């Protein structure tokens, strides 16, 4: 499980890091400022020493037997300031006067606008003030122009800076603790606690308590967020109640619709039965009319009786078909000669009263191959097509024609591929085509056709 910091921990960590970084930077800058001030105070001291040494040298009397008296006077001043190592040279570099070890002019030069050249050895940004200052300054004396070189130790500044660093460290620690404690307190009060209340309210609402609201009293962005959250919760509660009410209404409407749909289905079923049975009944009635008028030939009378029996059988078949809607059964297919079935259907339907005045024209191709199909259902399709075509002539004047054609159609079909395993990658190969023969039957009429609303209900 991945561990993640909460907002309280993140805020505390941010406050601690920011405080330590800020106070640490301020402490380092303060130390460097104090160090530089002490160093430049030492530079001012060196400048004063040079001035007093020059003054002492100029005021000294030069006797004939000892021309170095002015330089010794300058040396006395230097010793009085605690400078034990120094030397005085002329313009050619010859040592005119010297005390102690000769100071070396080494180190980094400090920026200074006077005639004095100051170099510092040791130290750095985080290394302290350094070891010593090396001063090179011109010295005016009665003996001529000379150069004074001496060093000033920075050890006293190091000791002072050690105490200052301890003080700043204690101050930074105390200040950091105060800032962190008060920062955490105020952030927890103004941010963390209100957010926790918002989270708890959201969890209770998600659990189904739609009356829950966030109680946040802070007057800031978190308070505005809580107010917006409560407004959203109010609207959500209203919407859910509205949806529940609409859902109840939908359930009631669905029940009413189901009852209406059931009645409509029953009505359509009854209409379908009446329509399907009406066709053979019309044919039976036509045959009975013929028989009632009497036929001169026994063969004709026998033919009419056989046709009547077929239509009665059709009625029995149709009733059985509707009874099998709830428990359908598969019938075995059998080879059927389509042309013969068309001729028998036309012969049976021709006596129907709806086909009076309509020409039935047949254009059947001879020697059609047999097809495997349910003969009785195909006969029912032909009958319905003929009667529907006849109904399309209602209110229409002129020649009324229904043409029936049959034939063989050759068509390119895709050859089925061998079955593959379910996880095999599909092969992007061009389809393999076979030319196959199909028997087609086409009904054409000169009636008004099928309306858009009727076409949607055909199937």
């Amino acid at each position: 499980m991945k561990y993640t910091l909460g907002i309280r921990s993140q805020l505390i960590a941010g406050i601690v890091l920011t405080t330590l970084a800020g106070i640490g930077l301020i402490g380092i800058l303060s130390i460097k400022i104090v160090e530089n001030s002490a160093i430049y105070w030492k530079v001012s001291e060196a400048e004063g020493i040079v001035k007093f040494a020059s003054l002492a040298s100029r005021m000294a009397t030069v006797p004939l037997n000892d021309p170095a008296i002015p330089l010794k006077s300058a040396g006395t001043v230097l010793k009085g300031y605690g400078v034990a190592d120094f030397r005085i040279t002329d313009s050619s570099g010859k040592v005119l006067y010297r005390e102690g070890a000769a100071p070396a002019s080494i180190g980094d030069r400090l920026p200074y606008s006077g005639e004095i050249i100051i170099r510092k050895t040791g130290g750095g940004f985080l290394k302290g003030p350094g070891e010593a200052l090396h001063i090179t300054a011109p010295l005016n004396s009665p003996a001529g122009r000379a150069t004074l070189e001496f060093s000033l130790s920075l050890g006293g500044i190091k000791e002072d800076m050690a105490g200052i660093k301890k003080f700043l460290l204690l101050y930074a620690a105390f200040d950091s603790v105060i800032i962190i404690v008060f920062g955490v307190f105020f952030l927890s009060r103004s941010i963390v606690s209100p957010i926790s209340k918002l989270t708890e309210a959201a969890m209770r609402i998600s659990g189904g308590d739609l009356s829950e609201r966030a109680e946040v009293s802070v007057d800031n962005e978190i308070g505005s967020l809580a107010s917006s959250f409560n407004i959203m919760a109010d609207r959500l509660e209203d919407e859910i109640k509205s949806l529940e009410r609409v859902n109840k209404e939908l359930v009631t409407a669905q029940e009413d619709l189901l009852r209406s749909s059931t009645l409509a289905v029953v009505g359509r079923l009854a209409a379908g039965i009446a329509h399907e049975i009406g066709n053979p009944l019309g044919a039976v009635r036509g045959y009975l009319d013929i028989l009632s008028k009497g036929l001169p030939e026994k063969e004709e009378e026998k033919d009419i009786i056989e046709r009547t029996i077929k239509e009665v059988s059709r009625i029995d078949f149709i009733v059985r078909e509707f009874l099998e809607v709830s428990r359908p059964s598969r019938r075995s297919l059998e080879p059927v000669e389509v042309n013969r079935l068309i001729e028998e259907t036309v012969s049976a339907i021709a006596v129907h009263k709806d086909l009076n005045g309509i020409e039935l024209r047949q254009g059947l191709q001879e020697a059609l191959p047999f097809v495997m199909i349910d003969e009785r259902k195909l006969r029912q399709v032909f009958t319905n097509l003929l009667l529907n075509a006849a109904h399309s002539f209602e209110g229409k004047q002129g020649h009324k024609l229904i043409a029936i054609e049959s034939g063989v159609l050759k068509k390119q079909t895709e050859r089925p591929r061998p079955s593959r395993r379910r996880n095999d990658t599909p092969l992007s190969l061009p389809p393999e085509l076979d030319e196959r023969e199909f028997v087609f039957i086409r009904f054409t009429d000169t009636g008004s056709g099928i309306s858009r609303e009727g076409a949607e209900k055909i199937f």
Side-chain angles (χ1 to χ4, degrees):
M1 180 178 178
K2 186 178 180 181
Y3 177 75
T4 57
L5 290 176
I7 186 171
R8 186 189 299 273
S9 301
Q10 293 179 14
L11 287 174
I12 293 175
I15 292 172
V16 171
L17 292 177
T18 304
T19 302
L20 294 179
I23 292 181
L25 180 60
I26 292 174
I28 292 173
L29 292 177
S30 300
I31 291 172
K32 294 309 296 179
I33 290 172
V34 173
E35 283 184 358
N36 290 335
S37 298
I39 290 172
Y40 278 98
W41 175 81
K42 207 72 172 175
V43 170
S44 299
E45 181 183 356
E47 187 178 23
I49 292 173
V50 171
K51 287 181 179 180
F52 280 109
S54 296
L55 181 61
S57 177
R58 287 197 302 270
M59 292 179 64
T61 302
V62 183
L64 295 176
N65 59 348
D66 192 0
I69 291 296
L71 301 179
K72 292 180 179 180
S73 298
T76 302
V77 173
L78 291 170
K79 291 177 183 178
Y81 278 99
V83 179
D85 300 324
F86 64 88
R87 70 180 175 185
I88 302 173
T89 60
D90 60 11
S91 58
S92 63
K94 180 182 177 182
V95 178
L96 301 178
Y97 186 73
R98 173 179 177 176
E99 287 287 343
S105 181
I106 58 175
D108 299 328
R109 184 170 177 175
L110 297 180
Y112 190 72
S113 59
E115 295 180 350
I116 300 177
I117 298 174
I118 302 173
R119 298 180 183 275
K120 180 170 72 73
T121 57
F125 186 74
L126 297 175
K127 297 179 180 179
E131 303 296 332
L133 293 179
H134 302 282
I135 295 94
T136 303
L139 180 67
N140 296 322
S141 68
R145 188 174 181 83
T147 301
L148 173 64
E149 298 179 54
F150 64 95
S151 299
L152 292 177
S153 174
L154 299 177
I157 296 178
K158 279 187 176 182
E159 295 177 0
D160 294 339
M161 291 307 302
I164 293 174
K165 287 179 180 179
K166 290 181 180 179
F167 171 77
L168 288 176
L169 180 61
L170 292 175
Y171 169 78
F174 180 73
D175 199 18
S176 299
V177 170
I178 293 176
I179 293 175
I180 291 170
V181 169
F182 280 94
V184 171
F185 172 74
F186 286 113
L187 283 174
S188 297
R189 183 177 179 182
S190 60
I191 296 178
V192 177
S193 179
I195 290 178
S196 298
K197 291 181 180 179
L198 277 174
T199 303
E200 293 172 1
M203 292 296 293
R204 285 192 286 268
I205 290 175
S206 64
D209 187 3
L210 299 179
S211 62
E212 180 65 28
R213 297 295 180 269
E215 297 180 1
V216 178
S217 58
V218 294
D219 188 13
N220 54 19
E221 288 81 357
I222 302 296
S224 300
L225 176 61
S227 178
S228 300
F229 176 85
N230 290 334
I231 293 173
M232 180 193 69
D234 291 337
R235 292 182 178 176
L236 179 63
E237 184 178 10
D238 293 340
E239 290 295 331
I240 290 178
K241 289 181 178 178
S242 176
L243 287 174
E244 290 176 349
R245 183 174 60 255
V246 171
N247 187 41
K248 291 180 180 178
E249 294 174 355
L250 284 176
V251 171
T252 303
Q254 185 180 15
E255 293 174 353
D256 295 340
L257 181 62
L258 181 60
R259 286 192 293 269
S260 300
S261 300
T262 303
L263 293 175
V265 169
V266 172
R268 286 196 295 271
L269 182 61
I273 295 173
H275 176 73
E276 294 294 337
I277 294 178
N279 295 334
L281 277 179
V284 169
R285 184 172 57 186
Y287 293 143
L288 292 177
D289 288 341
I290 295 174
L291 289 175
S292 64
K293 295 176 182 179
L295 293 174
E297 298 292 336
K298 288 292 184 181
E299 291 296 328
E300 293 181 9
E301 183 177 343
K302 183 179 178 182
D303 181 58
I304 293 298
I305 292 174
E306 289 177 354
R307 292 185 182 185
T308 303
I309 292 173
K310 286 184 178 180
E311 295 303 322
V312 172
S313 299
R314 278 189 60 201
I315 293 173
D316 178 67
F317 168 74
I318 292 170
V319 171
R320 292 179 182 277
E321 283 286 303
F322 279 102
L323 289 176
E324 291 177 358
V325 168
S326 59
R327 44 183 179 82
S329 60
R330 288 185 65 90
R331 295 188 181 89
S332 59
L333 304 182
E334 54 187 5
V336 175
E337 186 181 357
V338 176
N339 285 345
R340 175 189 60 79
L341 188 59
I342 292 174
E343 292 172 350
E344 290 180 358
T345 304
V346 170
S347 175
I349 204 72
V351 299
H352 200 285
K353 62 181 182 60
D354 291 340
L355 276 84
N356 292 335
I358 299 176
E359 179 186 357
L360 296 176
R361 183 183 302 169
Q362 300 182 42
L364 308 179
Q365 180 178 327
E366 296 181 358
L368 286 181
F370 286 76
V371 295
M372 298 299 292
I373 200 167
D374 187 334
E375 181 177 344
R376 288 180 294 182
K377 290 195 174 188
L378 185 59
R379 185 192 302 272
Q380 186 178 354
V381 171
F382 292 162
T383 302
N384 285 333
L385 287 174
L386 289 170
L387 291 176
N388 288 338
H391 295 160
S392 69
F393 291 112
E394 293 180 1
K396 190 174 180 63
Q397 303 297 324
H399 183 242
K400 302 176 182 179
L401 172 64
I402 299 177
I404 308 168
E405 302 173 74
S406 67
V408 176
L409 175 68
K410 293 184 179 181
K411 188 177 181 181
Q412 297 285 339
T413 59
E414 185 175 348
R415 181 186 303 169
R417 297 184 181 278
S419 59
R420 299 181 296 107
R421 291 176 297 180
R422 182 177 60 182
N423 297 328
D424 287 349
T425 304
L427 301 176
S428 55
L429 299 175
E432 298 180 4
L433 302 179
D434 286 336
E435 187 176 72
R436 298 179 62 188
E437 291 185 346
F438 296 85
V439 172
F440 73 89
I441 304 97
R442 180 183 297 118
F443 289 77
T444 309
D445 64 73
T446 58
S448 58
I450 303 174
S451 65
R452 183 181 298 273
E453 292 78 10
E456 295 175 353
K457 299 177 181 178
I458 288 179
F459 297 103

